Amino acid sequence: MDYFSHFLDLFCLGAQSVMHILFISRLTGKRPKPRYVSGYLFLLLLLQWTSLQTGLTGILTISLQVLVLYGLNRFLLGNCPSVSGVAAVLAVYISQLSFGIINSVEAMLFPGFVGKPVLYLLVLLAVLTSFILCIFCYATVLKLLSLKDNSQLPYMGLLLFPGLFFFIAELYILHTSYSVLPASPTLTETWKHVALLFLQALGLATLLCTLYAYRHICRSFQAQAALASLTQAARAQKVYIAEAQMRYEQTKVFRHDIKNHLSVLDGLLSSGKSEEGRKYLKKLEAASASLSFPYQTGNPVVDILLSEKLGLAKASGIRTELSLILPKSLEIDDFDLCIIFANALDNAIHACQSVKKNPFIRITGQRQGDFYMLEFENTCPDGPLPPAGTGLFSMKAVTEKYHGAMLTEKKDQHFSLNVLLNTSLHPAIPSPYPEK
């Protein structure tokens, strides 16, 4: 059986190498390469040979295997230390757990076949079953956990200690209960293996439940962060609206007093006090300028928002273009307009700040029948777009509120965002921002 054992060991190490590399690659969102598998297999063979020559214990050998997989994950795939550690522990633990569950079945059923040729076939079937169970566990874990999701990375420490506990417990079971199997187990030993099978199945279920709970904890933290961001944005939009209302009241007062100002100016000029008249006129010009906006769209709330955002863009060396008139008949709530413009411009400014050559932002708007089309264009870095954030989801909620649509498009270093709003219909859903 020596040749068969060597063949089986080589087969198991080769299959484990492929599964471990594919699993950690899928888990961390990295692309696997054939040389990673061959290099990992070589290190496992070297580790196996060293353990046979030096008499290293199985627990120490498997611990070194975890370190090897951690190093490959860390330095070849380029993952951070916490992600590399969790991925390595999960990969090795699940494979050991799968073999441990099948070992419990072998310990109960195989002793009666010792010395018979059919034992070779049964052992081979058991190994194949272990790999099938391992693949099933890997697939389930990949559905529950994704270490390429940035929202889960800050809480990676929550998984490390439970994972190590499961891993060490499984190693203890394997190398204390299955290192030597009796040829004819007693009833007590059979029940012991039944209990161990139950414990390992329970360990697998506990691991999956832990990952399920971890995913929901991360989503809860992410939802809290998004809610805090939305609340802060809502307060900012209300500031724009309050400032617009204040400007409107000041304009009403100025218009009400303009006749008095003109009478004073006429009196100064009629009495020949031209110098005093010029000074008074400059004061009127300054008062008038304080009430006007650098951008005139027809909506004072949007004018204030554009003054702040585009002013920030110009200060960052970004060229801005604006061709936009919002008609008074446009039945879109000022709060919703703030959501669209604030989020679109924040994203555009952030993208332009990453571009060194000729960054620009262009805003256009035009009515198309019962619809109003807003288009935001800006330069952006090369490469794929980042995942949609809270801002885009908020804008999408507003477009759905007005029975419209939102479309994003990227070509080379040019990004465009189109927002189509149906202005002939009343809003379908309330504003996505909480009232304070």
Side-chain angles (χ1 to χ4, degrees), residues 259-333:
K259 291 184 178 180
N260 296 329
H261 292 306
L262 292 175
S263 296
V264 172
L265 184 60
D266 181 63
L268 291 173
L269 294 176
S270 299
S271 60
K273 299 179 180 179
S274 57
E275 186 63 28
E276 288 82 350
R278 280 193 293 270
K279 291 181 180 180
Y280 195 83
L281 183 59
K282 288 183 179 180
K283 291 180 180 179
L284 288 179
E285 290 176 351
S288 176
S290 66
L291 299 176
S292 62
F293 306 104
Y295 302 99
Q296 303 289 331
T297 66
N299 185 298
V301 176
V302 176
D303 293 345
I304 293 174
L305 190 150
L306 290 175
S307 300
E308 177 183 330
K309 300 295 184 182
L310 295 185
L312 177 62
K314 288 185 176 180
S316 300
I318 302 171
R319 178 170 56 89
T320 61
E321 298 178 19
L322 180 68
S323 177
L324 175 67
I325 296 296
L326 298 173
K328 294 181 179 180
S329 59
L330 194 64
E331 297 184 359
I332 300 177
D333 189 82

Side-chain angles (χ1 to χ4, degrees), residues 254-426:
F254 183 79
R255 288 177 177 175
H256 179 269
D257 294 339
I258 193 65
K259 291 184 178 180
N260 296 329
H261 292 306
L262 292 175
S263 296
V264 172
L265 184 60
D266 181 63
L268 291 173
L269 294 176
S270 299
S271 60
K273 299 179 180 179
S274 57
E275 186 63 28
E276 288 82 350
R278 280 193 293 270
K279 291 181 180 180
Y280 195 83
L281 183 59
K282 288 183 179 180
K283 291 180 180 179
L284 288 179
E285 290 176 351
S288 176
S290 66
L291 299 176
S292 62
F293 306 104
Y295 302 99
Q296 303 289 331
T297 66
N299 185 298
V301 176
V302 176
D303 293 345
I304 293 174
L305 190 150
L306 290 175
S307 300
E308 177 183 330
K309 300 295 184 182
L310 295 185
L312 177 62
K314 288 185 176 180
S316 300
I318 302 171
R319 178 170 56 89
T320 61
E321 298 178 19
L322 180 68
S323 177
L324 175 67
I325 296 296
L326 298 173
K328 294 181 179 180
S329 59
L330 194 64
E331 297 184 359
I332 300 177
D333 189 82
D334 289 342
F335 198 81
D336 295 326
L337 286 174
C338 280
I339 293 173
I340 294 173
F341 279 90
N343 287 294
L345 290 174
D346 284 341
N347 292 339
I349 293 171
H350 179 72
C352 286
Q353 288 174 340
S354 302
V355 177
K356 296 182 179 180
K357 187 176 181 181
N358 299 325
F360 76 90
I361 296 175
R362 183 183 299 115
I363 309 170
T364 58
Q366 58 180 334
R367 181 183 286 277
Q368 298 178 352
D370 292 333
F371 291 86
Y372 195 84
M373 170 69 80
L374 288 170
E375 184 174 10
F376 301 86
E377 300 174 84
N378 59 270
T379 49
C380 62
D382 286 325
L385 291 173
T390 304
L392 284 178
F393 285 120
S394 301
M395 296 171 63
K396 185 178 180 182
V398 172
T399 59
E400 292 175 351
K401 175 180 177 179
Y402 291 93
H403 307 275
M406 186 179 74
L407 176 66
T408 60
E409 183 179 3
K410 181 182 183 296
K411 185 176 181 181
D412 298 329
Q413 288 190 315
H414 183 273
F415 175 81
S416 64
L417 167 67
N418 293 284
V419 178
L420 185 66
L421 304 172
N422 189 335
T423 60
S424 64
L425 300 175
H426 293 290

Side-chain angles (χ1 to χ4, degrees), residues 77-147:
L77 295 181
N79 293 308
C80 65
S82 59
V83 170
S84 301
V86 170
V89 169
L90 285 176
V92 178
Y93 166 68
I94 290 174
S95 62
Q96 294 296 316
L97 177 64
S98 301
F99 277 91
I101 291 175
I102 301 302
N103 281 344
S104 297
V105 178
E106 290 178 351
M108 291 184 289
L109 301 180
F110 284 15
F113 297 96
V114 174
K116 299 179 180 180
V118 72
L119 181 62
Y120 293 98
L121 178 61
L122 292 177
V123 170
L124 186 59
L125 289 176
V127 171
L128 293 176
T129 304
S130 300
F131 282 119
I132 292 174
L133 178 60
C134 184
I135 292 172
F136 170 77
C137 294
Y138 281 153
T140 305
V141 170
L142 289 174
K143 290 182 179 180
L144 296 175
L145 181 67
S146 175
L147 300 186

